[in-house]
Amino acid sequence: MSGVALDPKTAPTFPMAAKVLVGDTQMRKNVRHATDIIQAKRARVVGEMPDWQELRETGRRVREHTMKFLDVYLEEFERKCTAAGGVVHWAKDADEARQIVIGLVKASGSHEVIKIKSMTTEEIQLNKALEGAGITPYETDLAELIIQLGGDQPSHIVVPALHKNRQQIREIFKREMNLPNLGDTPQDLADAARLFLRKKFLTVKTGVSGANFLIAETGGVCVVESEGNGRMCLTLPETLITIAGIDKVVPRLADLEVLLQLLPRSATGERMNPYNSIWNGVDPRGVDGPKAFHIVLMDNARTKVLEDSEGRQTLNCIRCGACQNACPVYRQTGGHAYGSVYAGPIGAILTPQLQEMHYAQTLPYASSLCGACYEVCPVKINIPEVLVHLRNRVVEQKGFFDPEAAAMKTVGMIFRSERRFRAAQRFGRMAETPLVDKDGWIGWLPGLLGGWTQVRDLREMPKETFRDWWEKRGGAS
Amino acid sequence: MQVALFITCYNDTLFPETGKAVVRVLERLGHTVVFPAGQTCCGQMHYNTGYQAEAMPLLERFVAQFKGSEAVVVPSSSCVAMMRDHYPKMAAHIGNADLTREVEALLPNVYEFSEFLTKRLGLEDVGAFYPHRVTYHASCHGLRNLGLGDGPLKLLKAVRGIDLVELQGLEECCGFGGTFAVKNAEVSSAMLADKTRAVLNTRAEACTACDNSCLMHIQGSLHRQRTGVHTVHLAEILASEAGGAA
Amino acid sequence: MGEAWGCVVNASTASRELMLGRIRTANAAAGAGAGNAAEEWAAIPREYRRTSTLGREAVLELLEDRLRDYDAHVLRVASEGVAAAVLGMLGERGRTRMLAAPGVTAAWLPEGFAFAVDDGLSVESIDRFEGVMTESTLAIAETGTIVLQTVPGQGRRAVSLVPDYHLCLVRASAVVATVPEAMDVLATRPAFATTFISGPSATADIEMTRIKGVHGPRFLDVLLVMDDVARSA
């Protein structure tokens, strides 16, 4: 999949992409290894919090409250951020966001930018747009650097390169950093990245970041990270441009006491990630941090998600990736199968909604509805419920002559009458007869049901249904 | 107590032995079982595949068949999860106040089979005898939506003669997921391969669960691979008695 | 440039109105209803722990434990012994070219050791130092977090970031047990740029193996200054 941007508009269907990726045993091993480790770490640090469920509940309530008053809090954020010396920009869609950022970078007088890992910039394929405008973006997060140098695409919200193992990363670094003698321990690779990027940190004049939280009360912005590359980008350049979805706002600074407990433990299984930065506009004395701070508030169909009373809880997401690690489907396919930078359960509900249900229609079906995602979600997004709701929206778009819809309607009609149901049971026994082997098993099924018999047998239907037996028995004994 | 049995459409058609076992256990415990004849399906397949309009009349049908029951027992955790998680919302959507009230009154009395034994009756030992090596798979809906916890395992531990072995990845989905198994056959197969391997690693003779849907899925793979390991619904283990047909 | 810039601003203003309008329409369509934001925010249930049941000494031990868990080096020191401890620590680490945040408590700087003080150095200059010494606003025991702000004694954010070694002084009186307690303190001083530091810079991006020091300091030493002996006694 490398090199091809993850664009829901052009991506293959989930089952098609998954079919290919399930065959990539190395990738699956890497994903399994990484998700196993994060899940175990998460379970340990969540287990030591006696009030985890109370935190989740407040987290959910804070996010729901924010969405209800999103206009109020965005305006408050704008007011406070502007008062602190920041410049607030509004972008209705990806294109406008890209144009604003390109304009700001050019105005900063720089032809290169250092970037912090940001899913929002991935969502709008900002790097491609920057390159198109003659600006070189340098990804500085280790995983993003691996992705960028490898011409790859992110496969996880928090650990975007978890589909690669150390040997694969070493090959990329050897080639792209011209280090023929590079070792293959994780430390060797991290050291190589440190050297490779240090000069950029010290010289590039413009930084681009995403945001974890925008604090309405103070106009502050919070970025959560591990490596310190974020702090470099936020602190050292003369101009900082932050781009954030409008869903990232939180009402008050005090709300971080909940979210900063939920996010790190859920995301990387740490009690707190190594670095959190909170800043307000620019330093009035001009000694600390960038001289110019711009923030782009982006819609890009988030307001469409907000319209849907059941789907809108998707916007409560704080991008921890816990649902991805817990998802048995994601763990088999990795992230690229989802055809979007948002993979896993959250991607399966977010992507089709951001596409206003015009694309990515197979994603709501990319789940066995096992509920593991809901169980780990730090803000209690009921992902299975939203998946089912979105399936309904997909079905509502289907034409009258869709074969699946026709079959479902027929079966629905059968279930509405006991007489028809019994007739169907008898008919089923007759219809399956030619497929049943001498031992009473079916090894091949036609049409839509053929997926079942790829790796599974099916036992023939018993000669007598339960209700036949019950009637013969004469009911209660 | 008079217990109404909701057998569910697929148990009725494909797994009548499970229904018979439920009846045997409940009657052995001194309860009377009734079977409302007009029952068909809870609507889960339609609802979860996105055909919610088709599920609505099935909700109405279920309520008409079972309203007023002292207890409704269902040997399928996913069907109970369907009712508990979605029926109130669906009734509200239909907008019939009587129906909404009836759903509200009925749902607290609807139990998954093992849940009825452990939570309503407060039992662990139901007098079963099953001298086999068995492993238990926690079906997702029972585990997460119904919160069955270790209830089914407690029932199994009380079975005489049983050799209960723990399944690695007990709480991991087997990959069935209703229409998921055919819509995403490759991923479902990969998930199933992991589950099958875990079952085989236990060297159990049988794998049990509270859901025949998961078991049908697991059994399909165990049979395809000619492993000789079979699947059996929890109710059938609990119905087995010393001297009886196991 | 001027004209093009004007275009961006105008488009943004139009988008602002459009987006705020869409949000109001969407919330109305979804039946989110009206209400008073401040009142409803205040009514959000908060049943989680604000404080810890641990005693003072146990809180400090927890902080030390958590910091060590991140591979930070922690040492307790009496108020009057800070300068000597700093000197000892630097000797152990073999650091000679050290930077100090402006405004670091003078009594904590050892005599006979020449600290450079950041007075607006270029980033390149900061990068040439072997380490930096700063104070801190507070520390959170449960998470092993030290909080720095852009205030005297702690300096600007770059000084605790660029050098490879950070020696951080934490007053025991400023150690809180929980994150909510920390946010209560920070709420009284929200205007300063704030950095939470939990251990040395780290990544787990390669096979989930935790590696210290990618871009921030690889080494973090913490001196826990026992300035509240009376309280803990």
Side-chain angles (χ1 to χ4, degrees), chain A residues 78 96 227 257 270 288, chain C residues 15-16 27 48 150 201 210:
Chain A
E78 179 187 43
E96 192 171 36
E227 297 171 11
E257 75 190 19
E270 291 171 301
D288 188 0
Chain C
S15 292
R16 178 185 189 280
N27 270 330
Y48 51 86
T150 305
S201 154
R210 188 178 165 108

Side-chain angles (χ1 to χ4, degrees), chain A residues 211-463:
Chain A
N212 289 94
F213 306 109
L214 312 177
I215 306 150
E217 180 190 25
T218 60
V221 181
C222 177
V223 165
V224 168
E225 50 130 358
S226 295
E227 297 171 11
N229 65 303
R231 293 179 66 195
M232 295 276 182
C233 297
L234 299 173
T235 319
L236 304 184
E238 286 173 6
T239 300
L240 172 62
I241 303 161
T242 295
I243 171 160
I246 51 174
D247 50 313
K248 291 294 174 69
V249 71
V250 296
R252 304 200 189 174
L253 186 63
D255 292 314
L256 294 188
E257 75 190 19
V258 180
L259 300 168
L260 286 181
Q261 292 196 74
L262 291 169
L263 179 58
R265 288 178 201 258
S266 299
T268 50
E270 291 171 301
R271 297 182 181 103
M272 191 66 84
N273 44 288
Y275 300 127
N276 299 337
S277 299
I278 304 170
W279 74 96
N280 313 298
V282 294
D283 178 11
R285 293 152 303 161
V287 296
D288 188 0
K291 307 272 180 288
F293 170 58
H294 295 268
I295 177 147
V296 183
L297 304 174
M298 183 179 77
D299 182 347
N300 207 26
R302 283 159 177 75
T303 48
K304 294 302 281 186
V305 185
L306 200 64
E307 259 175 33
D308 181 337
S309 56
E310 290 189 62
R312 62 188 275 151
Q313 57 178 310
T314 310
L315 294 176
N316 298 350
C317 175
I318 56 171
R319 306 284 190 270
C320 72
C323 63
Q324 303 183 316
N325 306 326
C327 177
V329 174
Y330 175 91
R331 278 157 58 82
Q332 298 291 349
T333 64
H336 292 161
Y338 294 77
S340 157
V341 298
Y342 300 113
I346 188 63
I349 60 172
L350 180 59
T351 304
Q353 293 190 86
L354 290 181
Q355 298 297 321
E356 300 180 38
M357 303 309 288
H358 296 316
Y359 301 95
Q361 288 163 336
T362 55
L363 287 186
Y365 291 94
S367 164
S368 64
L369 303 179
C370 81
C373 48
Y374 181 27
E375 193 173 49
V376 297
C377 178
V379 292
K380 293 168 81 167
I381 300 170
N382 191 334
I383 295 178
E385 184 179 79
V386 179
L387 285 165
V388 168
H389 168 69
L390 297 179
R391 290 175 183 188
N392 191 229
R393 288 184 64 186
V394 171
V395 163
E396 279 172 356
Q397 295 177 355
K398 281 187 196 247
F400 187 76
F401 296 107
D402 180 85
E404 181 194 282
M408 284 289 181
K409 285 200 166 67
T410 307
V411 176
M413 192 266 290
I414 289 167
F415 282 145
R416 288 201 291 276
S417 140
E418 188 221 345
R419 191 179 50 78
R420 285 197 294 268
F421 180 43
R422 298 185 81 147
Q425 288 174 324
R426 284 192 297 275
F427 175 77
R429 262 197 305 274
M430 248 157 43
E432 72 169 14
T433 307
L435 305 173
V436 178
D437 69 16
K438 64 176 175 21
D439 298 322
W441 288 83
I442 298 168
W444 179 86
L445 283 169
L448 292 173
L449 300 173
W452 181 274
T453 43
Q454 279 176 18
V455 296
R456 310 164 190 86
D457 291 335
L458 190 64
R459 192 182 273 172
E460 69 172 329
M461 288 163 70
K463 301 290 174 249

Side-chain angles (χ1 to χ4, degrees), chain A residues 33-34 37-38 48-51 54-55 58 61-62 65 67-75 78 89-92 96 100 103-104 107 140-143 146 158-159 165-167 169 186-187 189-191 193-194 197-198 201-202 218 226-229 231-232 234-236 246 251-258 260-261 265 270-280 285 287-290 294 297-299 303 306-309 312, chain C residues 1 5 8-9 11-13 15-20 22-27 29-50 65-66 69-70 123-124 127 140 142-145 148 150-152 155-158 160-164 178-181 183-184 186-187 190-218:
Chain A
H33 171 78
I37 290 181
I38 317 181
E48 67 188 32
M49 297 293 280
D51 53 348
E54 288 77 11
L55 284 165
T58 303
R61 297 287 288 262
V62 166
H65 167 83
M67 294 312 149
K68 181 175 171 184
F69 296 100
L70 191 55
D71 54 335
V72 175
Y73 289 127
L74 284 171
E75 286 189 293
E78 179 187 43
H89 307 259
W90 300 70
K92 62 179 181 295
E96 192 171 36
I100 292 171
L104 291 171
T140 62
D141 171 78
L142 180 53
I146 294 164
V158 175
V159 203
N165 69 10
R166 67 178 78 181
Q167 284 79 23
I169 295 164
Q187 190 70 57
L189 300 168
D191 287 347
R194 182 183 175 98
L197 286 172
R198 175 87 14 173
F201 286 135
L202 301 186
T218 60
S226 295
E227 297 171 11
N229 65 303
R231 293 179 66 195
M232 295 276 182
L234 299 173
T235 319
L236 304 184
I246 51 174
R252 304 200 189 174
L253 186 63
D255 292 314
L256 294 188
E257 75 190 19
V258 180
L260 286 181
Q261 292 196 74
R265 288 178 201 258
E270 291 171 301
R271 297 182 181 103
M272 191 66 84
N273 44 288
Y275 300 127
N276 299 337
S277 299
I278 304 170
W279 74 96
N280 313 298
R285 293 152 303 161
V287 296
D288 188 0
H294 295 268
L297 304 174
M298 183 179 77
D299 182 347
T303 48
L306 200 64
E307 259 175 33
D308 181 337
S309 56
R312 62 188 275 151
Chain C
M1 195 66 227
W5 180 241
V8 170
V9 171
S12 185
T13 310
S15 292
R16 178 185 189 280
E17 296 316 309
L18 179 77
M19 286 161 63
L20 289 170
R22 278 178 181 171
I23 291 167
R24 288 169 194 136
T25 312
N27 270 330
N36 178 292
E39 280 170 18
E40 291 190 23
W41 183 86
I44 294 172
R46 292 172 190 270
E47 306 285 322
Y48 51 86
R49 294 171 306 139
R50 294 210 71 76
D65 177 69
R66 296 298 196 238
D69 201 37
Y70 296 132
V123 182
E124 289 79 2
D127 193 36
I140 311 166
E142 277 193 358
T143 58
T145 303
L148 264 61
T150 305
V151 292
R156 38 184 188 136
R157 289 172 287 167
S160 60
L161 171 66
V162 176
D164 198 26
T178 67
V179 174
E181 286 175 302
M183 295 310 293
D184 286 343
L186 296 177
F192 310 115
T194 303
T195 306
F196 286 50
I197 297 174
S198 307
S201 154
T203 185
D205 277 343
I206 300 168
E207 295 185 4
M208 299 314 294
T209 309
R210 188 178 165 108
I211 312 157
K212 262 196 308 177
V214 192
H215 301 296
R218 279 184 281 198

